[in-house]
């Protein structure tokens, strides 16, 4: 009888080991970062850079922690292209973007992506002094 009890005790079940491995795998998969990294193209102009704003509608945009304002009117980033269309007057559009001090980097990147998607639009980021 002692021999049979010893045989049962020596046999290991792999079910619990597989469960632990699966849980560890799940934990590491969920704890890893799933964010997609991208890039935003910025052209840096020196002090002698040409602004090229002569024949285009000029729009002033202000980005703050509260959101975006276009010529003093509040809007969201999703509604930004629709807010810019009436200001275009059938031609090109030039945006002057002012970024307030409390704005985080992700808000700036989100705004730059929207501005890049607006057709026939060029923008310049103003330096806040």
């Amino acid at each position: 009888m002692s021999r049979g009890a010893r045989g049962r005790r020596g046999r290991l079940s792999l079910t619990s080991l597989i469960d632990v491995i699966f849980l560890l795998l799940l934990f590491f998969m969920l704890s890893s970062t799933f964010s997609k990294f991208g890039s935003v193209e910025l052209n840096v102009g020196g002090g002698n850079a040409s602004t090229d704003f002569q024949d285009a509608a000029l729009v002033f945009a202000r980005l703050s922690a509260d959101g975006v304002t276009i010529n003093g009117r509040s809007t969201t980033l999703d509604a930004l292209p629709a807010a810019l269309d009436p200001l275009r007057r059938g031609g090109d559009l030039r945006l002057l973007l002012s970024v307030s001090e409390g704005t985080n980097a992700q808000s700036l990147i989100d705004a730059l992506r929207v501005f890049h998607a607006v057709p026939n639009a060029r923008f310049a980021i103003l330096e806040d002094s």
Side-chain angles (χ1 to χ4, degrees):
M1 202 184 254
S2 65
R3 198 170 194 192
R6 194 180 309 157
R8 287 183 189 161
R9 215 181 294 160
R11 181 180 250 175
L12 289 174
S13 172
L14 292 180
T15 306
S16 61
L17 182 61
I18 291 172
D19 287 343
V20 168
I21 291 172
F22 176 74
L23 288 174
L24 284 172
L25 179 66
L26 188 65
F27 170 75
F28 285 115
M29 284 176 55
L30 292 176
S31 65
S32 66
T33 304
F34 289 108
S35 47
K36 181 180 175 185
F37 293 101
S39 63
V40 174
E41 182 179 333
L42 290 177
N43 296 327
V44 178
N48 297 330
S50 169
T51 54
D52 192 27
F53 291 137
Q54 286 81 16
D55 296 329
L58 193 60
V59 176
F60 182 73
R62 179 151 181 88
L63 182 65
S64 65
D66 299 329
V68 181
T69 57
I70 301 293
N71 288 344
R73 294 184 179 171
S74 293
T75 186
T76 62
L77 286 178
D78 296 333
L80 191 62
L84 292 173
D85 276 342
L87 303 173
R88 185 182 302 274
R89 298 183 207 128
D92 290 344
L93 190 65
R94 299 298 179 248
L95 296 159
L96 296 175
L97 177 62
S98 174
V99 182
S100 69
E101 190 173 322
T103 307
N104 61 18
Q106 186 61 49
S107 297
L108 177 61
I109 296 298
D110 292 341
L112 292 178
R113 284 191 181 139
V114 172
F115 289 147
H116 275 296
V118 174
N120 297 328
R122 297 177 83 189
F123 65 92
I125 300 174
L126 300 176
E127 180 179 333
D128 193 21
S129 54

